[in-house]
Amino acid sequence: MGDASGPLVQQLCAIVGPAHVLQGHAELLPYMTDANRAFRGTPLCAVAPGSAAEVAAVVSACRAAGVGFVPRGAGTGLSGGATPGDGEVVISLARLRRIVSVSERSRMAVVEPGGINTHLSRFVAPLGLYYAPDPSSQSACTIGGNVAENSGGAHCLKYGVTTNHVLGLEVVLPDGAIVRTGVLGPRCGGYDLTGLFCGSEGTLGIVTQIAVRLLRRPEAVRTALALFRSVEDAARAVEEVTTSAAVPAAMELMDAHAISAVEKGTYPVGFPDWVGASLLIEFDGLAVGLDDHVQAALDVCQRCGVVEARSAQTPEERGRWWNNRKAAFAAMGRVAPAYYVADGVIPRTALRQVLDQARRIADQEGLWLANVFHAGDGNLHPLLAYDPAQSGQAEAVMEVGSAILAACVYAGGAVSGEHGIGLEKRDELYYYFDEEDIAAQRRVHDALDPADTANPHKLLPRPGRCVEVRRAAWDPRATVAGGGRS
Ligand SMILES: Cc1cc2nc3c(=O)[nH]c(=O)nc-3n(C[C@H](O)[C@H](O)[C@H](O)COP(=O)(O)OP(=O)(O)OC[C@H]3O[C@@H](n4cnc5c(N)ncnc54)[C@H](O)[C@@H]3O)c2cc1C
């Protein structure tokens, strides 16, 4: 890249204006990682285009110079997706944050990608509408980042993940062409390009506009908090409640370690000392019958050994419980300088088995592990505390995370529920895909990005690692001891 970099930066300044091109170490520091601090790169520069046309011009300039570009929303991603390689160009979507249109009759909004998730729901609240996908990071992350990661959230148990709420997209392809899909396109038909771009992690282009489905606010909401002595009891309750008649809107589990951290954080709720696990259960919908659903769920919890359970008496109490849950990752800062969060998804019937295996794997490596996760849809988030200042600790937690993912796969699950593959889990895809599966995906990638400039090195595994990595999948310990990652 060396020689091309000077002219490229000049060209980018001409496209977006020099005020929107950041260079120099101090200015670029925030762009060197995402929320997964284990990965880091030094970009050539960070640019912030002000329109789709500018995004297209920036992308074209990068391609002509043979320089990779990395789309960036808020940088809250946890798999290294927005982390640049050295010398790449970060394209921040922060200036593209308009809510372009809202149609109450069609229950649809068209938004730019840099808008914050919660801002949309706040904007349409006076119409009695909201945007359902609710990652716990929703007060910071962008809707463009949500689309790229196909993000989930607490209420995705009932409402589905981001892709279920995206009706159309405008995308700048890696060659600079602008395409419009779904309801933003001329008509529907042909391949489902909207579905293809959702979850593609910026490797197929940059999303510059999103048409999203809006939902009518449910007439009523009921929230209950159930406290158990053990994670096993709480996990069994999750399994039993979700097989009983009414599916809750959300079911979130925290174990004792997670609770000890959140109680030191910004939103403590005063959990008793004996609590081994908490379960936040929420139902929403028509008011009629909702109390019966809550009671039925609590009856199941009773059979599974719940010690204490109560329904929120006021919206404030419900708000406190949710703030407590949503601040859980941040609260890890109270117990360790850094944490690493794995993101496996498993059948709910395997919850008890895999939670136990994860604990054993962490214990064997002497690591502090907390569990706080979307239990209703089997999306585990084992959090491993570590100190990045200690040499080798970051690598050690990543190896343990990989071993836990192997346990998820062994139980019939997958290596990502919602945080994406990024740099973090490329090789773990080989736990269940073989070379042919990956080759098919690579052909799709190469059709749209033959020059490999769109978020290079993310999402797809490195070739030739299949056999070694798959062996680790059948023996989770092998990943820890034998280095499933390099
Ligand atoms: C405390 C905390 C809690 C979290 N809770 C959840 C949760 O409950 N559920 C969940 O799913 N995730 C969660 N996350 C992960 C993260 O917030 C989501 O993945 C989120 O969607 C990332 O959005 P972002 O704007 O920060 O994207 P970034 O981190 O900036 O980027 C993420 C990926 O998207 C690509 N990208 C960004 N914008 C675009 C665009 N316009 N076009 C194409 N590609 C683009 C980037 O290149 C990168 O690959 C959590 C993270 C934290 C720190």
Side-chain angles (χ1 to χ4, degrees):
M1 177 215 59
D3 288 339
S5 63
L8 176 59
V9 174
Q10 280 173 15
Q11 222 182 328
L12 298 178
C13 287
I15 295 166
V16 301
H20 302 299
V21 178
L22 300 180
Q23 298 178 73
H25 187 75
E27 284 188 312
L28 292 177
L29 259 180
Y31 299 94
M32 291 183 184
T33 71
D34 65 4
N36 183 334
R37 301 294 150 127
F39 301 104
R40 175 174 288 268
T42 305
L44 170 67
C45 61
V47 298
S51 66
E54 286 188 7
V55 172
V58 168
V59 160
S60 301
C62 289
R63 193 182 196 209
V67 172
F69 62 84
V70 184
R72 186 179 181 98
T76 68
L78 288 161
S79 55
T83 300
D86 289 342
E88 292 175 354
V89 171
V90 172
I91 302 180
S92 164
L93 282 312
R95 289 175 65 211
L96 297 184
R97 55 170 185 265
R98 281 181 315 144
I99 294 173
V100 178
S101 64
V102 172
S103 166
E104 185 180 4
R105 290 179 77 83
S106 311
R107 294 192 192 170
M108 185 178 97
V110 177
V111 299
E112 290 185 334
I116 304 296
N117 175 300
T118 40
H119 291 185
L120 177 57
S121 286
R122 213 175 299 151
F123 189 79
V124 298
L127 303 174
L129 300 173
Y130 78 113
Y131 175 60
D134 61 342
S136 303
S137 53
Q138 68 187 137
S139 58
C141 64
T142 66
I143 295 184
N146 298 166
V147 171
E149 298 287 14
N150 191 18
S151 291
H155 292 81
C156 294
L157 170 60
K158 176 172 175 184
Y159 293 101
V161 294
T162 300
T163 191
N164 303 115
H165 300 267
V166 174
L167 302 172
L169 294 171
E170 178 186 81
V171 183
V172 174
L173 298 181
D175 64 0
I178 300 179
V179 294
R180 293 169 75 88
T181 73
V183 298
L184 291 182
R187 293 283 190 279
C188 290
Y191 292 114
D192 174 15
L193 293 183
T194 309
L196 176 65
F197 288 117
C198 286
S200 62
E201 302 189 21
T203 62
L204 301 179
I206 300 190
V207 173
T208 47
Q209 238 175 61
I210 306 148
V212 295
R213 186 192 309 282
L214 299 172
L215 300 186
R216 194 148 286 292
R217 283 237 163 254
E219 182 181 291
V221 180
R222 299 283 185 276
T223 311
L225 186 61
L227 306 181
F228 298 79
R229 280 199 197 280
S230 72
V231 173
E232 293 71 29
D233 287 349
R236 192 154 61 90
V238 172
E239 201 180 315
E240 298 293 329
V241 168
T242 46
T243 48
S244 66
V247 176
M251 252 192 140
E252 299 283 303
L253 195 156
M254 280 197 285
D255 72 6
H257 278 172
I259 288 170
S260 71
V262 290
E263 288 299 89
K264 293 187 189 104
T266 319
Y267 301 104
V269 296
F271 286 105
D273 289 344
W274 53 263
V275 177
S278 71
L279 208 50
L280 195 54
I281 310 172
E282 188 156 284
F283 287 91
D284 63 15
L286 294 175
V288 175
L290 220 47
D291 290 327
D292 296 339
H293 292 327
V294 176
Q295 194 51 54
L298 293 182
D299 289 347
V300 173
C301 290
Q302 202 72 50
R303 293 199 290 279
C304 296
V306 75
V307 180
E308 253 181 64
R310 55 180 268 125
S311 292
Q313 298 303 301
T314 60
E316 289 71 33
E317 188 172 25
R318 169 180 180 253
R320 269 203 307 282
W321 291 350
W322 274 114
N323 283 339
N324 175 273
R325 160 60 186 92
K326 294 207 170 186
F329 284 14
M332 296 301 144
R334 304 279 177 167
V335 293
Y339 67 87
Y340 167 70
V341 53
D343 171 40
V345 65
I346 54 171
R348 282 184 294 255
T349 46
L351 272 176
R352 281 172 286 166
Q353 169 202 327
V354 177
L355 286 169
D356 180 56
Q357 281 174 328
R359 164 86 43 219
R360 284 166 194 266
I361 292 169
D363 284 352
Q364 277 171 35
E365 299 302 310
L367 286 170
W368 189 92
L369 176 144
N371 283 295
V372 45
F373 61 101
H374 310 310
D377 40 19
N379 185 190
L380 296 186
H381 288 331
L383 293 145
L384 296 155
Y386 73 102
D387 181 356
Q390 303 287 323
S391 160
Q393 275 211 3
E395 293 74 16
V397 291
M398 298 280 285
E399 295 299 346
V400 168
S402 187
I404 293 173
L405 292 180
C408 292
V409 171
Y410 192 66
V415 298
S416 177
E418 57 181 17
H419 296 168
I421 302 299
L423 288 170
E424 179 205 5
K425 286 171 296 219
R426 292 170 297 170
D427 292 339
E428 279 73 7
L429 285 180
Y430 278 139
Y431 282 173
Y432 40 83
F433 289 142
D434 61 24
E435 294 283 12
E436 279 179 16
D437 299 322
I438 296 300
Q441 297 208 24
R442 201 176 292 284
R443 281 201 292 276
V444 173
H445 169 269
D446 292 351
L448 288 175
D449 185 22
D452 203 15
T453 46
N455 214 2
H457 315 301
K458 311 287 167 57
L459 188 87
L460 290 177
R462 289 164 288 184
R465 312 250 312 142
C466 179
V467 174
E468 180 188 350
V469 177
R470 292 192 89 176
R471 197 181 312 122
W474 295 101
D475 176 8
R477 299 296 313 144
T479 324
V480 177
R485 180 188 299 280
S486 64

